Amino acid sequence: MKKVVSTFLLALLAWHTSPAQSNQKMDTFIDQLMAKMTVDEKIGQLNLVTGGEATTGTTVSTGVEAKIKNGQIGGIFSMSTPAKIRKTQEIAIKQSRLKIPIIFGMDVIHGYRTVFPIPLGLAATWDMNLIQQSARIAAEEATADGINWAFSPMVDISRDPRWGRISEGAGEDTYLSSRVAEAIVHGFQGDNLAAHNTMIACVKHFALYGAAEGGRDYNSTDMSLHRMYNEYLPPYKAALDAGAGSIMTSFNDINGVPASANKWLMTDVLRKQWGFKGLVVTDYTAVNELTAHGLGDLQQVSALSLNAGVDMDMVGEGFLTTLKKSLDAGRVKIADIDRACRFVLEAKYKLGLFDDPYRYCDEKRAKTVIGSAANHAKAREIAAKSFVLLKNENQVLPLKKTGTVAVIGPLANSGPNMPGTWSVSAELDKTASLVEGMKVVLGNKVNILTHLGSNLLEDPIYQNHATMFGRTIARDSRKEEEIIADALKVAQQSEVVVAALGEASEMSGESSSRSELDIPKNQQNLLKALLATGKPVVLVLFTGRPLTLTWEDAHVPAILNVWFGGTETGKAVADVLFGDVVPSGKITATFPRNVGQIPIYYAHKNTGRPYGNSGDFEKFKSNYLDVSNSPLYPFGYGLSYTTFTYGDIRLDRNTIDEKGTIQASVDISNTGNYDAEETVQLYIQDLVGSVTRPVKELKGFQKIFLKKGEQKTVNFNIKVDDLKFFDNNLNYVAEPGNFKVYIGPNSRDVKEKEFELL
Ligand code: NOJ
């Protein structure tokens, strides 16, 4: 009761305190605190170290306890449980001179203990409400485990599926990624950062990390300002505009200056143009890595980074060990140390840590909230909605809940792979495998047989690299042909074969770039052998990125892309395969026909010699001799068990002015046999501009539910803001002239209409 009353009073207080008042209160509090701080204590606040549980680099923090006592640590990440965090916080509060609480961070990327689909899968739901709910649940669980700072959302646009970290973002599109970024920030931060169940979001990786040359992780980026402002920067800005309290620098070089030392980016763009007033933290040892980039020794690069506008140094301790010397040598100013220290302290203030440093250390809450049945149910619902049906010839799917099904492949029986990459708080050994999950759902209605089928990869060394961090997959030491022959005996006993193939979860994510994007050859051989049995084969594809599925598309009757669906993958796959849930996911990154087409994305420019997309080579056109320009599966694509028919676009007027709106409407009918959801997509093309414009850009989408036989009208309001872009002087303008509007179920199969901006 006491707790209820105090929570109520706090809420009332918050309600009565305007943001301006609380800023003034915060400023006064921090002024007074900083007046007591020595330079060393200020620099100490800029030091972020690991708690020793999970790290993503080769450096591990040491001497943490002594440093806390000396006021040399501002934040710790990758430490969890209320007990451990309380114990650590107590050192700061009871044994350091100024008793400044520590902020606790963690990579809470797609769930916490309850894991949701990898972000690329989450985006494929096109359901911002569900995505926000997933982040809300992640925040509920993480804060119950003592954590108050999430290193998420990752909003890096990527148009290169060779880059393993494409799995961690929302894909290739600027508009969609921006909406997803907002949803995640709202989910983590809620309305009140000082509540015990909200946490500060950290937008990453600023900036352009997803445009690494050749798709090789950590590689350089060189990009025109025009492209940056129009295509790559908006999602970071959207996340900050949604209120994200912090931002993380990226590892990469940007036009010659690595992000963590890039003053133009961190100060001119971020602080001055965008007005960001939160905390800037580096990525893992990114300051130290400036030396390898070629910018100087540790003292030099630490000074460069602080002067560029970075506030907090993750793990490398360049700030801790050199800033004082640089201050004495006149290479940094106290004003910059003060600025950085203030942003760290403000984050702690906003979280309410100065009021109650143990606010996030509630053992009881941890027991009831983390991994609750309700959270698991939501994870199952979201996972099923993230799956993308890529092919379904002759309605092979859904399967009937009778008879014998053989689930064959290296991904069939690996629970630890189901959560997907970047799920550091998942309980790998408690996660059901695909087969285990299917058995729970199907009970004794369906007889499930299973077999490894093939190794994940023929090369054991490659397989080791692809199954790190406990994400093991059993290995069979026999020759691949022998394993396949054995698996065929199991397939023969079934009516339907489910081939569980693709990537292991650690074949995408950080430092997991690939130069070939096919299903590994030995798995493909298994697939061919399974098809040769003449049984219907459904490919359940595990992947963290678009793969090149040209052969599979031509030969396998049904392909369900399930990404890595998180904790509830197995059950969710059963829900979709057996028709309890109708698939509705749509891909948010183009699937190429082969690696040579990369980078491939729908919002490309037309060129002066556009290709007609006939599929045949056209001399003196912008195309390839050996492959068409079209992707295998276009952005926004995904099938359903039902069919939808789109009527023609109707516009309520043909012209629009600065203040006006045009309504574009389309009738959509469910013409198949299942009630189902559909994502209706709106694209716009600026036909004539002062600079070249993409052939189309997503500017809206709506997810609708239609019962079989039902028809609905979907209306989109197009405003002048939807027509704006950054011109070559970086002015954000809408230029008068003609535009095309396209509406359809994906970026390729669209209806179109033209209108004019006066
Ligand atoms: C490196 C990764 O790039 C970043 O995404 C992550 O948040 C940090 N390590 C911390 O683990």
Side-chain angles (χ1 to χ4, degrees), residues 56 77 107 151 165 204-205 248 251 283-284 422 510:
T56 55
F77 74 100
D107 284 288
F151 298 153
R165 302 198 78 171
K204 67 189 192 187
H205 306 83
M248 187 184 292
F251 288 122
D283 202 341
Y284 206 102
W422 270 119
E510 188 170 349

Side-chain angles (χ1 to χ4, degrees), residues 291-318:
T291 300
H293 275 288
L295 295 192
D297 64 14
L298 188 60
Q299 182 176 350
Q300 161 83 357
V301 295
S302 301
L304 274 176
S305 185
L306 181 84
N307 292 339
V310 168
D311 304 319
M312 206 173 198
D313 174 9
M314 189 192 288
V315 177
E317 303 204 333

